[in-house]
Amino acid sequence: MMKIALAQLNFYIGDFEQNTSRICEYIERAKSENADIVVFPELAVCGYPPRDFLEFNDFIARCQYALDTIAKNCVGIAAIIGCPTINPNIQGKPLYNSAVFLSEGNIVSTHHKALLPTYDVFDEYRYFEPGRTFHCITYKETKIALTICEDLWNIGNDPLYVVNPMDELLKEQPELIINIAASPFHYKQAEVRQSILQANVAKYKIPLIYVNHVGAQTELLFDGGSMVINAKGQCIKQLNFFTEDFSVVEPSLQAISNDASGLSSASSEAQRIHDALIMGIHDYFAKLGFQKAILGLSGGIDSALTLVLAAKALGADNVRAVLLPSQFSSQHSVDDAVELATNLGCQYDIIPIESAYQSLESTLQPYFKGTAFSIAEENLQARLRAVILMALSNKFGYILLNTSNKSEAAVGYGTLYGDMCGGISVLGDVYKTQVYELSRYINKDKIIIPENTINKPPSAELRPNQKDSDSLPDYDLLDKILFEYIENRMGPAELVQLGFDEKIVARVCRLVNTSEYKRYQTPPILRVSPKAFGMGRRLPIVARYLS
């Protein structure tokens, strides 16, 4: 029986030397474990998504050179690997998204992705020509249907594409499906993905091997979870989530195995988001070559959660918390922030901003004369904090972590060039209610985030006795409306039919749409939901819809 190795690796986009070296390392590892074929993910040679790097001839030439180098290492073993390849035809896009079969030191065959997703975070038709011919691989007397990610997703009652690659490949009577993928994480994706793969097995009665990327590529997080499904539709092996993994399997070509020992235990939504964000922070820093982070620690729950996640991702010694109290900050907020930093063992500093604020207030007094305290003075405080944090960032080489949550980003409840600045947004795809859930998850075994931080009413503390509820509906209500409007794309009439107040719906929709200009200027957001702000949600800034 043929033995197949699954190599679930974390690649660096455009780091051809490192990617090639690690691929060759795992080819040797697979050889040492007597594997017949080793399988790597989609576009593994260059990393996914390469985006407009694909428009550079030099980038494509390096892809080809790397592929040739890898092929030379495939002696005594075969490999399947993803790589962009050149379309030799004048018609169509200049490239294919390909799965390449390597054996005995050569490129034996190339198989092009037919279904190119162009929705949400995907934009593959921008670069690639879809494959239109389909043929199987025969290796060691086993016929393999080789597919790439989306090629298996055109199944069910509402197909997105007019062709189904597996229907074409089935004509050659394959005995095994191999699918190489770059399937990004969101908190429901693991179940959706496994359901899709099992639906293919149920339809075609053929076992399936699936190999996915793992690791973070700026805002896109890849969770791994590569798997083997036998012809009965049973997941008989699943690789780890959020970490590199490797396994050699013998997929039954008959439906005989009942071994489910490789299945990961079920995890909660909070645990998945927690693990994904830690991976996202870690890889963002590692791949940029930075080690240390800084953030403003207010005593509120958002910055508290961000600090915990950063300390787990980077190590407490590599995260610096800065408390920046103003004349409106409460002592309990300062105390809560100090308690958290002490619990984690993070360095913290207390830098009051009142004197700097008074200096700016004095400078502006001739121009603000005769006006009442307003949002302008509130924003001065937020921007002063950002100036101090960025000064420390510049001086000592930190990356500033943005601590705004998705609820705030949705309705524009934040200060541009103030609390909305940073190098990466950790919680920008996490609703406020989810922030509470994540904080309780972190505290499940012992108190890390002070209970007072979790239980007190949220406040920006930019004016006396301020609470978020002064400006916004309660988060329990707001987040429900936001979820239906953003994730499920419901319009006002549909939201009212769900039981939400018409005036609140109109106000929330207007706030979301008129705040697009703010979100356009914020840092990249780690994506954990099916519909995140950023590359997966593209709306015009200047528009009149519901505004």
Side-chain angles (χ1 to χ4, degrees), residues 67-89:
L67 189 62
D68 292 339
T69 302
I70 294 163
K72 291 173 184 176
N73 285 265
C74 293
V75 177
I77 190 171
I80 292 170
I81 190 162
C83 184
T85 62
I86 295 172
N87 177 7
N89 301 310

Side-chain angles (χ1 to χ4, degrees), residues 112-134:
H112 307 313
K113 188 173 184 178
L115 309 184
L116 302 175
T118 305
Y119 55 81
D120 195 61
V121 298
F122 303 105
D123 203 5
E124 291 195 23
Y125 193 64
R126 177 184 177 98
Y127 311 104
F128 299 117
E129 181 69 11
R132 293 184 172 85
T133 60
F134 306 93

Side-chain angles (χ1 to χ4, degrees), residues 112-384:
H112 307 313
K113 188 173 184 178
L115 309 184
L116 302 175
T118 305
Y119 55 81
D120 195 61
V121 298
F122 303 105
D123 203 5
E124 291 195 23
Y125 193 64
R126 177 184 177 98
Y127 311 104
F128 299 117
E129 181 69 11
R132 293 184 172 85
T133 60
F134 306 93
H135 57 281
C136 292
I137 299 165
T138 300
Y139 185 69
K140 295 203 171 181
E141 300 182 354
T142 299
K143 191 170 286 187
I144 301 169
L146 180 53
T147 59
I148 305 175
C149 204
E150 189 89 350
D151 287 345
L152 291 187
W153 285 67
N154 199 40
I155 197 165
N157 297 324
D158 187 21
L160 186 61
Y161 307 92
V162 297
V163 65
N164 194 323
M166 270 308 302
D167 287 348
E168 301 302 315
L169 290 165
L170 196 66
K171 297 171 183 176
E172 297 186 14
Q173 298 181 319
E175 301 159 276
L176 176 67
I177 302 169
I178 292 179
N179 184 262
I180 64 171
S183 176
F185 167 83
H186 62 69
Y187 54 76
K188 295 181 180 179
Q189 183 73 344
E191 286 86 359
V192 173
R193 183 190 296 140
Q194 184 164 326
S195 174
I196 290 290
L197 297 176
Q198 287 176 321
N200 277 273
V201 172
K203 180 176 180 179
Y204 300 112
K205 314 300 182 188
I206 305 170
L208 186 153
I209 287 178
Y210 170 85
V211 181
N212 191 24
H213 273 266
V214 72
Q217 307 292 0
T218 312
E219 64 269 73
L220 286 187
L221 312 179
F222 295 88
D223 56 336
S226 303
M227 68 186 83
V228 181
I229 300 174
N230 70 11
K232 286 183 177 179
Q234 300 161 325
C235 183
I236 61 172
K237 182 69 178 178
Q238 185 161 52
L239 273 58
N240 288 323
F241 289 94
F242 305 111
T243 185
E244 291 189 333
D245 205 357
F246 177 86
S247 184
V248 177
V249 299
E250 297 182 9
S252 172
L253 302 184
Q254 309 299 321
I256 59 173
S257 176
N258 289 304
D259 175 23
S261 60
L263 283 170
S264 299
S265 58
S267 56
S268 67
E269 181 179 305
Q271 181 182 339
R272 292 179 190 184
I273 295 174
H274 168 273
D275 294 349
L277 292 175
I278 289 172
M279 181 188 72
I281 297 167
H282 176 273
D283 279 11
Y284 186 76
F285 278 74
K287 292 180 178 182
L288 282 175
F290 285 84
Q291 294 181 318
K292 294 183 179 293
I294 193 169
L295 75 159
L297 188 64
S298 67
I301 194 168
D302 299 317
S303 61
L305 176 58
T306 303
L307 181 63
V308 174
L309 295 171
K312 289 186 176 186
L314 305 173
D317 291 345
N318 290 317
V319 187
R320 184 174 182 178
V322 184
L323 288 66
L324 298 153
S326 73
Q327 65 270 38
F328 303 118
S329 299
S330 60
Q331 186 59 46
H332 68 74
S333 290
V334 175
D335 294 342
D336 292 341
V338 170
E339 182 181 345
L340 173 63
T342 303
N343 289 347
L344 293 171
C346 293
Q347 176 186 353
Y348 72 89
D349 306 277
I350 302 177
I351 306 177
I353 66 166
E354 184 173 0
S355 61
Y357 170 77
Q358 289 173 345
S359 178
L360 271 178
E361 192 176 41
S362 175
T363 299
L364 290 166
Q365 195 276 332
Y367 310 98
F368 283 8
K369 186 177 180 180
T371 63
F373 183 97
S374 70
I375 194 172
E377 285 81 3
E378 293 182 30
N379 286 343
L380 274 180
Q381 299 165 67
R383 292 187 176 117
L384 272 172

Side-chain angles (χ1 to χ4, degrees), residues 311-499:
K312 289 186 176 186
L314 305 173
D317 291 345
N318 290 317
V319 187
R320 184 174 182 178
V322 184
L323 288 66
L324 298 153
S326 73
Q327 65 270 38
F328 303 118
S329 299
S330 60
Q331 186 59 46
H332 68 74
S333 290
V334 175
D335 294 342
D336 292 341
V338 170
E339 182 181 345
L340 173 63
T342 303
N343 289 347
L344 293 171
C346 293
Q347 176 186 353
Y348 72 89
D349 306 277
I350 302 177
I351 306 177
I353 66 166
E354 184 173 0
S355 61
Y357 170 77
Q358 289 173 345
S359 178
L360 271 178
E361 192 176 41
S362 175
T363 299
L364 290 166
Q365 195 276 332
Y367 310 98
F368 283 8
K369 186 177 180 180
T371 63
F373 183 97
S374 70
I375 194 172
E377 285 81 3
E378 293 182 30
N379 286 343
L380 274 180
Q381 299 165 67
R383 292 187 176 117
L384 272 172
R385 289 174 173 136
V387 166
I388 293 169
L389 290 167
M390 285 307 302
L392 293 168
S393 170
N394 293 158
K395 181 64 73 174
F396 299 109
Y398 300 112
I399 288 182
L400 175 60
L401 299 178
N402 177 269
T403 64
S404 301
N405 63 61
K406 188 173 185 175
S407 306
E408 293 170 342
V411 297
Y413 191 65
T415 303
L416 269 179
Y417 327 119
D419 57 305
M420 295 181 77
C421 73
I424 188 76
S425 174
V426 176
L427 302 179
D429 198 28
V430 181
Y431 287 113
K432 187 75 169 190
T433 47
Q434 292 175 307
V435 169
Y436 286 107
E437 291 168 9
L438 280 168
S439 299
R440 285 188 281 268
Y441 171 78
I442 284 167
N443 279 5
K444 68 183 187 305
D445 297 321
K446 66 175 182 178
I447 300 299
I448 297 174
I449 299 174
E451 286 296 313
N452 190 52
T453 297
I454 298 175
N455 294 328
K456 67 187 175 186
S459 170
E461 294 192 328
L462 297 173
R463 63 175 184 265
N465 303 313
Q466 183 181 25
K467 293 183 177 62
D468 289 7
S469 56
D470 298 338
S471 304
L472 300 172
D474 286 340
Y475 284 113
D476 283 343
L477 172 60
L478 176 64
D479 286 357
K480 289 183 176 71
I481 296 173
L482 291 174
F483 179 83
E484 297 298 343
Y485 181 55
I486 296 167
E487 267 86 341
N488 291 336
R489 274 81 88 190
M490 285 193 175
E494 296 167 292
L495 290 167
V496 171
Q497 286 179 353
L498 288 178

